[in-house]
Each structure stands twice: as structure tokens, then as C-alpha cells.
Amino acid sequence: MNPQRLSCDILIVGSGPAGLAAARAASRSDLSIVLLDDNPRPGGQIWRNGPGVALPGIARDALQVLEHPRLRYLPGTRVVAGASANALLLENAEQALLVQYQSLILCCGARELLLPFPGWTLPGVTGAGALQALLKNGLAMAGERVVIAGSGPLLLASAATARQAGARVEAVLEQAPLAALATFAAGLWRWPAKLGQAAGLATTAYRYNVHVLEALGEDRLEAVRIQQGEQVREIPCERLACGFGLVPNITLASHLGCQLQANAIAVDRYQATSLTQVYAAGECTGVGGSELARVEGEIAGLAASGQTQEAMALIQRRAHWQAFAERVSETFALQPALLRLARPDTLLCRCEDVPYAAVAGEAGWSEAKLHSRCGMGACQGRVCATAAQALFGWAAPTPRAPLVPARIETLLMESSTPGVK
């Protein structure tokens, strides 16, 4: 059985702000475009649609590109493997697809960094971004007590989403010290939109120089133990959302052989990667927020469609938002104490029940997998491998096909398709 075969001039992986901006820019040409995403709805994490979600105007404008007559949108579609001759093997709920392209734009976004600490696997404990996604998909939380902890602007955004859902936000706990936050706030005048955004998300529940020590409870979360300066105290709650930052999603880029730099996809001024006619934009090239993702996506879409002069005109705007991204990275860098929260019996790999002590002495990720089955469960290391890189300084593993769990018939197609890696 052969997969359905499609061809296009430009294939874009990811329909978040970067992918939509790339599609919109490329659509100004007469080229054919295929835009795919593994989520059932477009918009990425920041513009995730769902029951009762009111998207901002900028998101609604961006989504209009999906109606372009020369664009084909493939939601709920995952990349299984790369193929030679400029092709990707894909899978959705119904079938496998082999898409051949002239140019490829990777807008794969980022993943949450989840660091293990005692009790982090209790029901009721999630990532900060995961909490937002659950709420936007209709999770009922009215009246529940919520603590949001970790580092970065995502904490305030998650708190706002929780409040809108009727939750009681007991505390927003930022690990960064006051001096770093004050310096950051003093420089926000350079980005007026961000200054207004910060003012709109401000809450009296916000605390600085505080971090989680342990989630407490028997069958589910009952309270969280925190370190606030020299004081240790407990906060009763039904939900704990921890966001320790984001890491670029480089899985597909690494699989294809793109050059990496500082755990992100390396790109030039046109957002071109080290591979011919392969571009990348957004968080997968370095975490920087939706504004930077959009301008990078636009540059990539213009460059991939031959509109290089128009792309050059956006270089200064990109530099403006890259400067903001650098300030965020410096301000919210994780304190060393957060990398020492796990106890020997704290699970690192939740899928295979592998404790921290079972992998802490290994030389790298491959040895950890061989000796403990770490990363061999349902999530295929998306959580524990990222955590292990932060905790132990291990190099990112090189992904091999299949990149995601796939149906037997799709894997048979992979093995029978000439040139598939």
C-alpha cells in the first residue's frame, strides 16, 4: 500500500505565529504551499483555539492565510521521517502521506522544560504552558486553588488564563531575584507593547526569589512546599503549574541534518539553515516570543519564495525583537538550586518509572537509555531527555526514524519508499 503523494513548492512545518507568518509571506508569490501541524487546530501554543477562547485580532488576521487558494492546510499531521529528494513522510488519523517540496520551512516551536522535583508526578501538577493548553481546551477549574511557579513571562500569562477560567491563583512564584527583575523592568521602555502587556498581566500574587521544593499529597496534589528566601513554607492548593522555561524543538531539524547552535537551529540572515532550500523560523531557532517568531517567519517565507529584497527590509525589526529575547534570557536564567531539587528516588522518566539515581551516574543519554529504559516510553524522551540535558549537561540525542510512534502500515511504507532515511 503506497502513501498518498503530494507535491508543493514550499512545505511549512508548524502553524504557530512563525508558520502562519511564513505562509502569508510566501503566498504573495504564485507558489504552491502546504502547511502542516500535529495539532488539530492552527495557532500554536500562544494562539491555541478552543471552547470559549477569544483569539486576539492579530491571530485572526494571521489565520486568514489558511483560506488562500494555493495553500493546503494539513492539521493533525505528524512528521514520521525525512526522505531524500526533498520529501517528508507524514501520518494523520486516516493515512500516510509523502510530501515532496522545493523548499522547506521549519517552524517547529519549542517545548516546556520540566525539571523533576519530589511530587512532580502527582495528579494536579503540570507545566505552566500545559495548564494553559488544558484550560483553552475546556478544562474546568472554577474555584480551584492554583500555584504557578518557575521562571519567565509565561508564569504571568498562565496565571491570567487560570483567573479567566475562575481559578483562585494563590501565588505566582518567580525564581529570579529582585535585582534582575528590576533591571529588566527598567529597560522595557524600548518595547512599549511588552510594557503594556506586563502591566495588564500584573498580579498581587507575584513573588520573586521563590521556588518550589516539593509537591505534597497522597493520591493527588494537596499542597506545595516552597523556598522563599531563607523561609520554607507550604501553600495548600489543588493545582500546581511549573514553568522552568522553553527549549527549541530541534527534533526534525536534527534528524534532517541541519547545523545546530546552542541547542537551536542555526540560521543566516535569511533564516536559511545549513541545508540547501531549508529554512527555519520561530522558537526552534531560539526562544524569543511571538513578535520575534512572526518577523522571522515572514523573512523565511519571503526568502523561500524568492522575495529577498522584501526579506532584507525586515532585518532591523528582527534585531529589535532579538534584543528583547536576549534580555528575557538573561533575566530569567535558572538559579543552580533548581537543578538540585530531585532526590535519588524522584522519577526522572515518568513513562518508564526511572528514578533520578538510576541515570545520574551515566555518561550520556544513550547509556542512560541502555541501562534504564529512560526515554523509551510513550513520550519518547520529550520530557526526560530535555530535563537530562539541563540537569547533567548531556548532548541532545540524534533523532532516528520514526520520529513519533506511527502505525505499522506507515512504517512499512517508510521501509518500502525509496530514499527514505
Side-chain angles (χ1 to χ4, degrees):
M1 181 179 179
N2 291 323
Q4 180 184 354
R5 294 177 182 269
L6 304 175
S7 63
C8 61
D9 294 308
I10 299 176
L11 174 61
I12 303 172
V13 179
S15 65
L20 292 170
R24 188 171 187 172
S27 70
R28 299 171 196 164
S29 67
D30 292 327
L31 302 178
S32 60
I33 303 166
V34 170
L35 174 65
L36 69 91
D37 200 295
D38 56 0
N39 286 302
R41 292 184 291 267
Q45 172 65 17
I46 192 167
W47 291 338
R48 183 182 293 269
N49 207 345
V53 175
L55 291 175
I58 192 170
R60 295 195 299 272
D61 290 343
L63 291 170
Q64 289 179 5
V65 72
L66 301 181
E67 302 172 8
H68 194 279
R70 293 187 61 79
L71 183 144
R72 180 167 182 174
Y73 173 51
L74 302 176
T77 302
R78 304 186 299 177
V79 179
V80 176
S84 62
N86 294 353
L88 294 182
L89 179 65
L90 315 176
E91 182 185 87
N92 60 26
E94 290 79 33
Q95 62 184 339
L97 304 98
L98 189 67
V99 181
Q100 194 160 356
Y101 54 84
Q102 296 301 314
S103 297
L104 174 65
I105 305 178
L106 304 177
C107 301
C108 304
R111 297 194 182 104
E112 275 199 277
L113 172 61
L114 302 176
L115 297 176
F117 55 88
W120 77 296
T121 59
L122 280 172
V125 182
T126 66
L131 179 66
Q132 273 195 312
L134 289 169
L135 289 169
K136 291 178 180 180
N137 282 320
L139 175 69
M141 272 185 55
E144 291 191 6
R145 296 170 296 178
V146 182
V147 173
I148 298 174
S151 194
L154 180 59
L155 303 187
L156 287 172
S158 296
T161 304
R163 284 196 301 272
Q164 291 167 6
R168 294 164 50 192
V169 179
E170 299 292 310
V172 180
L173 309 177
E174 169 58 58
Q175 60 90 46
L178 177 59
L181 295 173
T183 301
F184 177 72
L188 274 181
W189 61 269
R190 295 176 57 193
W191 302 276
K194 288 297 183 182
L195 183 59
Q197 191 179 81
L201 295 175
T203 171
T204 57
Y206 192 79
R207 301 289 183 271
Y208 54 83
N209 197 28
V210 190
H211 66 266
V212 167
L213 292 176
E214 183 176 4
L216 306 172
E218 294 296 329
D219 297 325
R220 64 164 291 113
L221 179 70
E222 297 173 8
V224 56
R225 182 172 293 141
I226 66 170
Q227 180 85 45
Q228 186 168 7
E230 300 298 321
Q231 181 184 12
V232 174
R233 65 188 186 93
E234 295 179 7
I235 305 174
C237 58
E238 285 78 44
R239 299 272 178 183
L240 169 62
C242 287
F244 297 106
L246 302 173
V247 290
N249 181 2
I250 59 172
T251 301
L252 178 54
S254 180
H255 171 67
L256 295 176
C258 294
Q259 182 179 340
L260 305 178
Q261 183 177 10
N263 292 322
I265 306 173
V267 293
D268 66 11
R269 60 179 178 172
Y270 291 112
Q271 300 295 136
T273 73
S274 59
L275 301 182
T276 303
Q277 291 304 107
V278 178
Y279 301 81
E283 308 282 59
C284 59
T285 67
V287 176
S290 63
E291 293 86 358
L292 178 58
R294 291 201 305 273
V295 69
E296 287 182 345
E298 189 172 358
I299 291 172
L302 291 170
S305 57
Q307 304 174 74
T308 53
Q309 286 297 110
E310 293 85 346
M312 282 296 294
L314 298 173
I315 300 299
Q316 186 174 354
R317 180 149 61 96
R318 181 179 60 191
H320 176 73
W321 288 110
Q322 284 175 332
F324 176 75
E326 291 169 3
R327 292 294 295 272
V328 170
S329 178
E330 294 168 1
T331 301
F332 299 102
L334 295 181
Q335 302 297 311
L338 292 171
L339 304 178
R340 300 191 296 266
L341 295 176
R343 298 170 184 162
D345 62 346
T346 301
L347 291 182
L348 174 63
C349 175
R350 300 179 298 184
C351 299
E352 294 292 324
D353 291 337
V354 180
Y356 177 90
V359 299
E362 300 293 349
W365 179 246
S366 297
E367 291 80 2
K369 289 181 70 176
L370 285 171
H371 296 155
S372 70
R373 290 190 55 83
C374 188
M376 300 179 71
C379 89
Q380 292 291 287
R382 283 169 176 76
V383 175
C384 54
T386 305
Q389 291 172 53
L391 294 173
F392 310 125
W394 292 346
T398 301
R400 296 182 297 178
L403 299 178
V404 295
R407 293 188 295 268
I408 294 295
E409 53 265 35
T410 300
L411 298 180
L412 290 174
M413 292 172 188
E414 175 194 350
S415 61
S416 62
T417 302
V420 173
K421 293 182 179 179

